[in-house]
Amino acid sequence: MITKVSCPVWREAVGKGPAPWHLAGGPPDPKAGGKRRRLGINTIADRVVQASLKLVLEPIWEVDFLPCSYGFRPNRGAHDAVAEVRFFTSKKYEWIVEGDIRSCFDEISHSALMDRVRKRVGDKRVLALVKAFLKADILGEDRQLRETSTGTPQGSILSPLLSNVALSVLDEHIAQSPGGPRIGQVAAAKRRRHGLPNYRLIRFADDWCLVVHGTKTDAEALREEVAGVLSTMGLRLSPEKTLITHIDEGLVFLSWHIQRHVKKGTSKTYVYTYPAKKALNAVMLKVKTQCRQIGTNQPLDVLLQRLNPLLRGWCIYFRPGVSSVTFHYLHHYTWHRVWNWLRRKHPKTTWKNIRRRYYDAAGWPVTGERKLFDPVKVSTTRYRYRGTVIPTPWTTR
């Protein structure tokens, strides 16, 4: 196992001697599929320098970043990206290219990234700090340093901003294309009459999708075009994860399942957003794990203290969508898990005594200190699409 470390690189950048190295504890982060990512664990001095550097660079790049980018930007989030996908797929943008960049944070070209930074930053001291941060060596468990020529360390303060700088090359390419967002309604209608596609890009960090008003052939051609654009930054698309789907089949984006179907009782079609099955299985697994990890020798309050933040955060994220059925399912699943935990805690006690001791009048687990969070009581809402009117802290009047 190897760990990406950013040991005080600022010392070398400002001419205070070579950067010392320290063992950055902690294993690499696990990824889906059993793979592991190199995790950056920074020293306190590095965090201070990177936070200061971010304060300098972020206002400069926020002027250039386009509205289609939502990840790691002020006043923007995953709900805005999902709302934009829902908005455009409701406007005849029916084909979607679901993009997945292979090892994005590990394969960004340092030279290509620095070229983009130099176009907006002229201070050589700042450039030296950014370069030293990117060139931080990799420290393995054998305590040997290994040089790195690509990628940005994950887990650091500055990496999200630098990844947005690198991936903005895709935003700019789509924005400047003939069928991109800068054409008006008249020009867009003219392109469709001539059989040409119109398209929009929605990106959240390295997760992106391209919605296409055209045919599947147009979507396949755009996928190859995007692959060529990303190659200039040293990035590659994952063939097995980069899919082309129709909105009627549905897609999964940022843990949301987005699909169009006929509304019950009518003949009209709408695009709905649901919690994805993978996200539901993940939270159910966490609930099950907590019920297994907390020993039955502990009071019920300890278990509720672990479960409540987990359930509350998950439900708040999936609140702006069609999530009532999912919340009811999670309600029943959690109740049964806690009930089984109590039965293991009191194997010789009748269920009536357990209910009298640990449940309220409505039959929901409660203690003297707290009550189990109930997903059913979370009311769903609709997140409105804000488009290009999202303000930034540096917006000028």
Side-chain angles (χ1 to χ4, degrees):
M1 287 187 297
I2 53 178
T3 303
K4 180 88 175 184
V5 294
S6 175
C7 306
V9 295
W10 60 274
R11 295 178 59 88
E12 185 175 3
V14 300
K16 291 188 176 182
W21 61 273
H22 307 279
L23 181 63
D29 262 2
K31 297 176 64 176
K35 298 182 180 179
R36 290 179 176 268
R37 62 166 61 93
R38 295 177 298 190
L39 178 62
I41 304 176
N42 306 285
T43 61
I44 298 298
D46 277 351
R47 295 176 189 178
V48 173
V49 174
Q50 290 177 25
S52 303
L53 196 58
K54 183 175 181 288
L55 292 175
V56 174
L57 295 178
E58 189 173 40
I60 298 175
W61 283 102
E62 277 294 327
V63 178
D64 295 340
F65 287 157
L66 298 177
C68 63
S69 172
Y70 292 98
F72 306 111
R73 295 184 59 189
N75 297 333
R76 292 168 174 263
H79 292 141
D80 292 302
V82 174
E84 183 162 350
V85 174
R86 182 183 180 277
F87 175 81
F88 280 111
T89 51
S90 302
K91 303 292 184 181
K92 299 183 179 180
Y93 288 78
E94 299 179 347
W95 287 100
I96 303 101
V97 181
E98 303 177 56
D100 184 88
I101 302 175
R102 178 180 295 174
S103 303
C104 176
F105 287 86
D106 295 334
E107 296 188 359
I108 294 178
S109 172
H110 288 174
S111 58
L113 177 58
M114 289 302 301
D115 289 341
R116 291 186 64 81
V117 174
R118 290 189 187 96
K119 291 180 180 180
R120 297 291 282 122
V121 179
D123 194 323
K124 293 184 178 180
R125 294 172 297 179
V126 175
L127 295 175
L129 283 173
V130 176
K131 186 175 181 180
F133 164 74
L134 292 174
K135 295 294 184 180
D137 294 334
I138 299 175
L139 180 64
E141 289 184 339
D142 56 358
R143 304 181 70 87
Q144 296 296 321
L145 286 173
R146 297 171 177 85
E147 296 182 355
T148 178
S149 58
T150 60
T152 60
Q154 298 191 57
S156 62
I157 299 174
L158 199 59
S159 288
L161 176 61
L162 293 180
S163 65
N164 271 334
V165 172
L167 293 173
S168 62
V169 65
L170 178 60
D171 306 344
E172 296 169 0
H173 176 81
I174 297 298
Q176 297 170 2
S177 299
R182 293 187 178 180
I183 62 173
Q185 295 182 356
V186 176
K190 184 178 180 180
R191 285 180 57 85
R192 291 303 303 135
R193 287 196 301 268
H194 288 82
L196 299 175
N198 299 316
Y199 37 87
R200 299 292 187 272
L201 175 70
I202 301 96
R203 184 176 64 82
F204 187 92
D206 59 335
D207 294 325
W208 58 271
C209 62
L210 191 67
V211 292
V212 183
H213 184 188
T215 63
K216 184 177 182 179
T217 304
D218 297 328
E220 293 173 348
L222 287 169
R223 178 178 59 183
E224 300 303 322
E225 183 178 339
V226 168
V229 174
L230 293 175
S231 64
T232 60
M233 298 301 300
L235 301 175
R236 300 171 296 163
L237 292 179
S238 176
E240 61 276 7
K241 295 183 180 180
T242 303
L243 310 175
I244 296 178
T245 56
H246 195 272
I247 187 60
D248 291 338
E249 302 173 0
L251 72 149
V252 177
F253 184 58
L254 300 178
S255 298
W256 288 89
H257 180 78
I258 309 172
Q259 186 175 4
R260 183 179 67 182
H261 57 78
V262 179
K263 184 179 180 180
K264 293 182 180 180
T266 67
S267 59
K268 297 182 179 180
T269 58
Y270 295 91
V271 177
Y272 295 89
T273 55
Y274 310 91
K277 290 184 178 180
K278 185 177 180 180
L280 177 60
N281 292 335
V283 71
M284 289 167 56
L285 179 60
K286 291 180 180 179
V287 171
K288 180 180 178 180
T289 302
Q290 291 296 335
C291 292
R292 292 293 184 182
Q293 289 181 349
I294 303 298
T296 53
N297 60 328
Q298 299 289 333
L300 176 61
D301 189 70
V302 176
L303 178 62
L304 301 187
Q305 190 175 5
R306 293 283 190 90
L307 293 179
N308 284 354
L310 171 65
L311 295 171
R312 184 182 293 108
W314 194 89
C315 292
I316 289 176
Y317 178 77
F318 288 104
R319 182 185 178 189
V322 187
S323 308
S324 295
V325 175
T326 306
F327 288 168
H328 276 81
Y329 185 87
L330 185 60
H331 163 94
H332 291 290
Y333 179 84
T334 305
W335 187 93
H336 282 286
R337 279 294 167 188
V338 175
W339 170 255
N340 291 335
W341 186 88
L342 289 172
R343 291 299 301 268
R344 295 198 309 269
K345 182 177 178 65
H346 302 284
K348 298 182 180 180
T349 306
T350 63
W351 68 271
K352 289 184 179 180
N353 290 333
I354 293 177
R355 179 168 181 173
R356 186 182 301 112
R357 180 176 179 181
Y358 292 106
Y359 289 79
D360 58 12
W364 193 247
V366 63
T367 65
E369 298 293 333
R370 56 181 52 83
K371 186 176 182 179
L372 178 64
F373 183 83
D374 190 357
V376 170
K377 294 185 177 180
V378 179
S379 59
T380 58
T381 183
R382 180 178 177 180
Y383 195 89
R384 297 290 179 177
Y385 170 59
R386 297 190 292 168
T388 59
V389 299
I390 302 176
T392 67
W394 304 282
T395 300
T396 58
R397 295 183 178 180

